[in-house]
Structures are given as C-alpha cells and as structure tokens.
Amino acid sequence: MFEFLFVMGAVFAFYGYSVMKNPRVWGEQGREEIHEENWNGYVVRNGQFCMYSGFFIVALAALDVIFNFPSWLFILILLGGIGALFYPLSHWMHEKEGKWWPWPKHKKKK
C-alpha cells in the first residue's frame, strides 16, 4: 500500500505544482463555466489543491509504514483530509464566481 500511495501522491503533487506554475497545463476543462478574468486564479487554486492533496497522500503513506492502521481508520483519515483540502477552492469559487461548484450542471430537457 505504501508504494502505491507514495507514487500516486508524488504524481499528484508534481501535477499540481506544474499547473500552478503554468496554467496552460490544466487545459480547457471548465473554461466555459468560469469568468475569463478569474480563469488563471481558478487554475492556480486547482493546482494548489492537487499539490497539497499529493503531499497529504504521501504523508499518509509514510504514516502507514510507521503505524499499523486499521483499514477503516485509514480511509476515514484520507477522505476527511481531502475534504478539508477541497474547502479553500470551493470558498474561493463562491467568492469569485458566486457558486460553490465549479463544474457545469446539465439541464434536463423537458
């Protein structure tokens, strides 16, 4: 489990860092839902989220090696930590865009 979490966390952290430094790495995903003047800030916040989540996963991998966690506790910590990391991005979205969820909602046709 340590090897998998360590590699995935490192890749996630590197991807987030590269997005923060060069927003074009993010691509065009979500561009139509974000105001043009907020686009670079949105991408940088997403990059920070990815980077910090990667660091968090690597830290959990190190804790998994040090301690013998039961599986349910490990998953609870992982989900709670990722939820706590996601809050600053959603708060920023609410401030800048007026909505908490950055992804489009598809309207149903009647």
Side-chain angles (χ1 to χ4, degrees):
M1 184 80 160
F2 165 75
E3 294 86 4
F4 174 73
L5 284 176
F6 184 78
V7 169
M8 293 308 294
V11 167
F12 212 39
F14 176 73
Y15 175 71
Y17 179 76
S18 63
V19 166
M20 281 175 47
K21 294 300 177 187
N22 182 6
R24 288 180 294 161
V25 172
W26 185 259
E28 298 295 316
Q29 53 193 352
R31 187 179 275 277
E32 65 275 356
E33 293 295 317
I34 306 298
H35 297 301
E36 191 61 38
E37 64 271 10
N38 294 333
W39 176 249
N40 282 339
Y42 169 73
V43 173
V44 168
R45 290 288 184 156
N46 274 307
Q48 284 177 335
F49 168 71
C50 289
M51 185 176 70
Y52 294 149
S53 296
F55 290 150
F56 182 73
I57 291 171
V58 167
L60 281 179
L63 286 174
D64 185 41
V65 170
I66 295 170
F67 303 107
N68 189 9
F69 281 128
S71 297
W72 63 270
L73 181 61
F74 187 75
I75 296 213
L76 184 67
I77 291 171
L78 180 66
L79 292 176
I82 294 215
L85 288 170
F86 189 69
Y87 177 75
L89 173 64
S90 60
H91 183 70
W92 181 87
M93 276 294 297
H94 185 64
E95 261 183 16
K96 297 290 184 186
E97 297 289 323
K99 55 188 174 184
W100 291 97
W101 194 249
W103 298 279
K105 292 180 182 177
H106 299 287
K107 295 180 180 175
K108 295 180 183 177
K109 293 181 181 177
K110 290 184 179 180

